[in-house]
Amino acid sequence: MDPEDSINVLGTDLIVCGMDPVTGFFRDGHCNTCAADQGSHTVCAVMTAEFLAFSKYVGNDLSTPRPEFNFAGLNPGDSWCLCAARFLQAHDEGCAPKVSLEATHQRALDIVSLEVLRENAA
């Protein structure tokens, strides 16, 4: 299971999204993806309290520690590779987190327009 080309939405090399905590479908700090990544964890987002509350409300609790999955829980300010569809849902609801364009994989563009990503750029 190899990641697809590590290119960001700007057409340049994908940079690290987050190492503390380590994020990404491959848990390598990058928002790389592959065919097995059905959620398209490609949007590098900086967590906010508002987004974390929204995500929990819609059924994806990212803030509660889950030691059984070696997951400490996210806090505002943490960078995390979000599912592109969840990011778009948050955008549509007015609570999207900020995005690192340089660390957002080009495959995010299959779901989220570059215009929407730029509107939310960090």
Side-chain angles (χ1 to χ4, degrees), residues 13-35:
D13 289 341
L14 191 69
I15 66 168
V16 170
C17 177
M19 294 301 290
D20 183 24
V22 178
T23 191
F25 181 76
F26 295 96
R27 289 300 187 263
D28 63 359
H30 292 83
C31 296
N32 281 309
T33 191
C34 66

Side-chain angles (χ1 to χ4, degrees), residues 48-76:
T48 63
E50 183 181 30
F51 173 77
L52 289 169
F54 168 78
S55 189
K56 186 174 184 176
Y57 175 74
V58 295
N60 187 21
D61 183 357
L62 296 173
S63 53
T64 300
R66 298 289 304 269
E68 67 272 27
F69 298 117
N70 198 26
F71 181 68
L74 299 177
N75 296 298

